[in-house]
Amino acid sequence: MSYLKNFKMINRILALGCVIQLICFSASWASGKIYKILDYGAKGDGITLNTEAIQRTIDECHANGGGSVLVPEGRFLTGTVELKDNVTLYLEKGAVLLGSTDLEDYKNVDLFTEGLGIDVGWALVVAVGAKNIGIAGQGAIDGQGAALKERHIQTDRRPEGERWGRRPFLLRIVRCEGVNITGVSLLYAGAWTSHYFQSRDITIENVRIISRGVAHNDGIGIDGCQNVRISNCDIDSGDDALVFKTTSSKMACKDIEVSRMRLKSNQAGIKMGTESMANFENIHIWDCHIYDTRNGGIKLLTVDGAHLKNVVISDVTMDNVRTPMLFRLGSRLSVFRKDSDEQQVTGTFENVLIKNIKAKAASEAQLTPPSGILITGVSGHYISGLTLENIEIDLAGGGSHSDAHAEVPEAVDQYPEIKTFGPKIPAYGVWARHVKGLKLKNVAFVLDENDLRPALVCEDCIDLEVNDWTIPETTGAESIIRLTNVKNVKIANNRVDGSADSFVQATEGKNIKLKKNNMDEQIGKSLIKY
């Protein structure tokens, strides 16, 4: 896997670039002229609409070569304001930019359609085509999402699934270069909390996000951006906490590093997709804690033509997470910017490493009973070169004989959600289908109750390696591992506690090799049953 070696060089380059960028940002704040919004007529009483006053301050700062726009302590009500070149919005401690609850106070500078088919893009703070911009300080931007929604639904009687897109994002960065978001709190967006689109050289550090109360409160959304560094952020979101997407085919999510994150979500902790037209590549995420998510912990999805490759996620802990991991290559093939893009062919999913993961799965999940890891391509399009290494997952158990034979829908062109493949998965540990070169190394499961499903079910698999597993004590199962339509399988050095009718049950299997597997109790009539 030569791509792993390249990550060291990529990370050095990214780190150097971010240090230079941070030095320039700090120097700009220290030496640039300060423009105070109070001098332009702004009032921090939480009642006066300050959109024009704040925008005049930003415009004059920009016209004079840049500097910092100072928001002092107070609550400054505003609609859409636009950042310009060389302008940093600095929020002092106790300062709040307070989003208006009137939708007519917001602008949409870049309309597009998101993954569920809704037109979106209105925003409270926005920048388009700007260079060297920032938001810093100890203050907050508060979108008043719940109050905004309450006022919205008084006049818009459409179903929530159709009307939500009109509500504004909290922060939108569109086709910008040199972006620093540091120290601030982003609170209670009307829709997505922060969305970065086709931008380069982005640093997001020490940002706190609390965004709940309405639907689609994603935390940080990176959409077709490059040279990105995100670290030390705390996100509590009503939708995906940290999500990478590509709503356009024109620019990949590329050369990104993320570290030291705390992620809580009603949906996924870490996610790629669903919008996935341009590539996801050279992305490294490490040292994160995901907790209390109502959906997946880690979800990597490419379903609209993107090539997802050279991704490493490591050293992640999860607590009370529904379905710890989902990996999906599909053929939904949606188009989100119909004026500039066309439908693509099915993409690829290759060379991904997930290692050093320790998870406690929630006992109540979308899947009943819960399962740990779902991996699936579609017929003729394999997930290739996926490695899961040093994985430990605690699960509720409780699967029955009938659960062990559940049929999982292909859902080739469907929205790629965990519940799309449920409610029953025939393996408690790892269920994999349409995979090639899958390596499962040093995987351990802990079960609260006996489970009659196999630890591993693999269907339509080529070149499978299962090594150094610790398989918990179960009794009464037909098999520990079930293989269907497989070729070139190596199962070695696994420790199996408990008993089953057979260790491996295989149908249409070719070249299956078992070596040095440790069985504490009798495994039925044979190690492998055809």
Side-chain angles (χ1 to χ4, degrees):
M1 291 188 184
S2 61
Y3 72 97
L4 292 177
K5 298 179 181 178
N6 292 337
F7 262 113
K8 293 183 179 180
M9 182 177 294
I10 290 168
N11 288 340
R12 291 192 189 104
I13 294 170
L14 283 170
L16 179 60
C18 290
V19 168
I20 293 171
Q21 187 178 343
L22 186 58
I23 290 171
C24 293
F25 173 69
S26 300
S28 173
W29 164 244
S31 61
K33 186 175 178 180
I34 298 174
Y35 296 78
K36 301 177 181 179
I37 65 171
L38 294 181
D39 294 340
Y40 293 81
K43 296 181 180 180
D45 56 13
I47 299 172
T48 304
L49 187 65
N50 295 287
T51 310
E52 292 184 7
I54 296 171
Q55 192 62 59
R56 280 200 307 270
T57 316
I58 292 170
D59 291 347
E60 184 157 335
C61 179
H62 163 67
N64 291 329
S68 296
V69 170
L70 179 65
V71 182
E73 182 178 357
R75 294 170 65 81
F76 295 88
L77 188 69
T78 182
T80 299
V81 293
E82 183 174 352
L83 293 178
K84 304 289 182 66
D85 289 0
N86 305 313
V87 173
T88 294
L89 187 65
Y90 191 89
L91 302 163
E92 288 189 333
K93 185 177 181 180
V96 179
L97 277 186
L98 195 63
S100 169
T101 60
D102 186 349
L103 293 180
E104 298 306 315
D105 291 330
Y106 295 95
K107 299 177 183 178
N108 191 336
V109 299
D110 183 59
L111 181 73
F112 70 100
T113 305
E114 55 77 67
L116 295 172
I118 303 300
D119 289 342
V120 295
W122 289 265
L124 177 55
V125 179
V126 65
V128 182
K131 295 182 179 180
N132 303 322
I133 59 172
I135 302 175
Q138 295 179 280
I141 304 174
D142 185 341
Q144 298 197 95
L148 185 75
K149 175 183 176 179
E150 184 178 357
R151 185 169 176 179
H152 181 200
I153 63 178
Q154 290 176 4
T155 56
D156 189 339
R157 302 299 182 183
R158 292 176 297 167
E160 177 65 11
E162 297 177 10
R163 69 183 168 212
W164 76 267
R166 182 60 183 83
R167 297 198 288 270
F169 299 179
L170 199 70
L171 171 63
R172 282 205 70 198
I173 304 297
V174 179
R175 296 183 292 276
C176 295
E177 294 185 13
V179 179
N180 286 272
I181 312 297
T182 307
V184 295
S185 296
L186 304 178
L187 309 174
Y188 306 111
W192 298 356
T193 306
S194 58
H195 179 226
Y196 303 80
F197 175 66
Q198 289 188 348
S199 297
R200 291 183 170 88
D201 304 322
I202 300 170
T203 299
I204 305 169
E205 291 185 315
N206 300 311
V207 171
R208 181 176 68 116
I209 293 176
I210 303 175
S211 195
R212 290 178 175 270
V214 300
H216 310 286
N217 279 153
D218 296 68
I220 295 176
I222 304 298
D223 184 353
C225 295
Q226 300 181 0
N227 300 326
V228 179
R229 179 175 178 262
I230 306 172
S231 63
N232 295 304
C233 296
D234 195 326
I235 301 175
D236 180 353
S237 61
D239 210 312
D240 303 318
L242 173 65
V243 56
F244 303 87
K245 57 185 66 187
T246 48
T247 59
S248 165
S249 66
K250 303 299 190 293
M251 188 167 167
C253 272
K254 183 178 179 181
D255 298 336
I256 297 169
E257 60 174 21
V258 179
S259 63
R260 298 179 295 281
M261 307 286 284
R262 281 178 50 84
L263 305 167
K264 177 181 178 181
S265 167
N266 273 1
Q267 292 296 323
I270 297 169
K271 181 178 176 182
M272 294 181 192
T274 65
E275 298 94 332
S276 47
M277 295 198 71
N279 293 357
F280 304 92
E281 54 185 306
N282 300 340
I283 299 174
H284 187 188
I285 302 170
W286 76 96
D287 192 14
C288 297
H289 179 60
I290 302 170
Y291 66 104
D292 294 346
T293 71
R294 305 288 292 172
N295 200 306
I298 298 171
K299 295 165 63 177
L300 306 186
L301 319 165
T302 172
V303 295
D304 302 313
H307 302 288
L308 191 157
K309 59 185 179 181
N310 301 349
V311 173
V312 176
I313 300 177
S314 64
D315 302 290
V316 175
T317 58
M318 306 186 205
D319 189 27
N320 193 32
V321 173
R322 290 185 174 184
T323 314
M325 289 181 253
L326 168 65
F327 307 99
R328 172 61 161 170
L329 169 62
S331 302
R332 181 180 66 175
L333 307 181
S334 291
V335 177
F336 309 101
R337 297 172 184 267
K338 295 178 174 60
D339 58 340
S340 60
D341 262 321
E342 296 180 355
Q343 189 179 59
Q344 302 188 131
V345 298
T346 303
T348 60
F349 186 123
E350 58 187 352
N351 294 339
V352 172
L353 171 62
I354 312 294
K355 68 176 183 178
N356 303 337
I357 309 295
K358 191 169 184 178
K360 292 184 178 180
S363 57
E364 295 183 3
Q366 321 91 312
L367 306 174
T368 54
S371 294
I373 302 171
L374 281 61
I375 308 167
T376 179
V378 295
S379 181
H381 299 276
Y382 291 107
I383 286 180
S384 301
L386 173 61
T387 298
L388 303 181
E389 183 175 351
N390 301 336
I391 310 294
E392 182 179 328
I393 300 178
D394 290 7
L395 291 158
S400 66
H401 280 296
S402 62
D403 295 336
H405 294 280
E407 294 288 335
V408 182
E410 289 280 356
V412 173
D413 59 354
Q414 300 301 301
Y415 189 95
E417 190 51 87
I418 290 169
K419 65 182 181 181
T420 305
F421 304 101
K424 304 288 186 182
I425 298 296
Y428 69 77
V430 178
W431 171 77
R433 181 173 62 190
H434 308 310
V435 295
K436 183 177 182 179
L438 176 62
K439 297 181 179 180
L440 305 170
K441 302 178 180 180
N442 191 24
V443 177
F445 295 102
V446 176
L447 294 174
D448 292 342
E449 297 181 19
N450 191 45
D451 202 305
L452 300 180
R453 297 173 295 171
L456 167 64
V457 171
C458 201
E459 307 167 14
D460 186 20
C461 301
I462 301 173
D463 301 329
L464 169 67
E465 294 184 17
V466 182
N467 299 320
D468 301 305
W469 280 39
T470 300
I471 299 173
E473 181 175 354
T474 57
T475 59
E478 294 178 10
S479 64
I480 304 298
I481 295 172
R482 187 169 74 232
L483 307 174
T484 303
N485 188 20
V486 299
K487 182 179 179 181
N488 302 332
V489 178
K490 297 178 181 178
I491 302 173
N493 301 310
N494 300 290
R495 178 181 177 85
V496 181
D497 295 325
S499 62
D501 292 346
S502 62
F503 177 39
V504 177
Q505 184 179 26
T507 304
E508 300 181 44
K510 296 180 180 179
N511 193 23
I512 301 172
K513 296 180 179 179
L514 278 62
K515 184 179 181 181
K516 296 182 179 179
N517 295 289
N518 186 346
M519 317 288 179
D520 266 4
E521 296 189 22
Q522 181 67 26
I523 300 292
K525 299 178 180 178
S526 61
L527 290 180
I528 185 165
K529 180 180 179 181
Y530 289 94

